[in-house]
Amino acid sequence: MTQKDFKRQIELFVSSYMDKALCADTYSERQSYLNDITLIRATISRTLRLCLEHPELAKEYLDSLPKATMD
């Protein structure tokens, strides 16, 4: 995986909201999407920072999440 692929995967929802912002009909609608993008990026940054600072806790949290199973 390259850096470009990694960024694309991490910012998947940012790209989705950016598309919505570009197609918004009103200024306030566009601003709402741009505010959501800021919140999403802040959440991504905080999560990555916490995972890098506390990898054991991050792994424990990941292991505690429900897993998809094939029936």
Side-chain angles (χ1 to χ4, degrees):
M1 178 179 288
T2 66
Q3 179 66 29
K4 185 178 177 181
D5 295 333
F6 183 78
K7 183 177 178 178
R8 188 179 319 121
Q9 288 294 319
I10 292 292
E11 293 192 352
L12 181 66
F13 292 112
V14 173
S15 300
S16 173
Y17 272 73
M18 188 61 76
D19 292 342
K20 291 178 182 181
L22 293 174
C23 296
D25 294 330
T26 64
Y27 177 79
S28 61
E29 187 180 2
R30 179 176 290 198
Q31 279 305 118
S32 175
Y33 285 124
L34 293 177
N35 290 341
D36 290 346
I37 289 170
T38 302
L39 179 60
I40 292 168
R41 284 189 171 147
T43 303
I44 291 169
S45 296
R46 183 173 187 271
T47 302
L48 286 172
R49 187 174 57 253
L50 282 170
C51 289
L52 291 171
E53 288 176 1
H54 307 284
E56 306 83 23
L57 295 174
K59 178 154 179 28
E60 187 177 317
Y61 175 75
L62 180 63
D63 291 341
S64 73
L65 296 175
K67 307 293 185 274
T69 57
M70 298 283 288
D71 287 335

